[in-house]
Amino acid sequence: MVASACTAPANYVADATDCDDSVATVFPGAPEHCDNVDEDCDGTADNAAIDAGSWYTDRDGDSFGDAGQVQTGCTAPAGTVADATDCNDTAATIFPGAPEHCDGVDEDCDGTADNNPVDATTWYLDSDADGYGVPSTSTSTCTVPTGYAATDDDCNDANAAIHPGAA
């Protein structure tokens, strides 16, 4: 409604740019929100919304994104995810929490390759260095540690001359 007067009547203003005078949060320059409403009266709903999410490119499809490739918006653009913790977004088998393998690659993104690998070999303490270990002390790693052997059948680990292959 338009009124002409020398002074503004009650509930009137000199600015006629409000696109929805029935809603107090809708006016030119109002902050946009992700709600399909054009709060700032620019003709587009949700553009530059203050509550828009951050979406990260997920090139390898493992549900973990690249922190260096971010977009903002009210909904996730195609090929993006909300998680930005992928340490290698070109390999779907490399992501936080992925199983580690004995391959020199940091699959779980913790900064260390081959820690707690699923395909580790069990090695047995070989105190007498005869190539035979004891079952009571073992470790699982990708490569044989010094002082360990692949077998656990040494009957006397204090004497290198006594072992299952001895004459």
Side-chain angles (χ1 to χ4, degrees):
M1 176 182 276
V2 176
S4 295
C6 293
T7 59
N11 296 321
Y12 281 80
V13 294
D15 183 345
T17 59
D18 195 337
C19 58
D20 188 348
D21 201 34
S22 67
V23 180
T25 58
V26 175
F27 56 88
E32 285 279 356
H33 296 274
C34 292
D35 58 5
N36 286 324
V37 174
D38 179 17
E39 285 97 351
D40 63 4
C41 297
D42 69 354
T44 304
D46 301 342
N47 57 319
I50 61 172
D51 57 348
S54 294
W55 307 99
Y56 305 92
T57 301
D58 181 19
R59 289 184 301 272
D60 58 14
D62 62 6
S63 299
F64 296 87
D66 180 349
Q69 300 289 318
V70 64
Q71 301 175 49
T72 58
C74 292
T75 58
T80 65
V81 294
D83 185 295
T85 58
D86 204 338
C87 62
N88 182 338
D89 202 37
T90 61
T93 57
I94 299 175
F95 55 87
E100 283 278 353
H101 297 275
C102 291
D103 57 7
V105 176
D106 177 20
E107 285 99 349
D108 64 5
C109 295
D110 68 354
T112 304
D114 301 342
N115 57 322
N116 300 314
V118 296
D119 57 348
T121 300
T122 301
W123 306 98
Y124 302 94
L125 182 64
D126 180 15
S127 298
D128 59 9
D130 61 2
Y132 298 88
V134 294
S136 60
T137 306
S138 65
T139 188
S140 293
T141 61
C142 294
T143 58
V144 60
T146 302
Y148 282 76
T151 62
D152 69 347
D153 53 357
D154 198 342
C155 57
N156 185 341
D157 204 37
N159 186 336
I162 303 172
H163 56 78

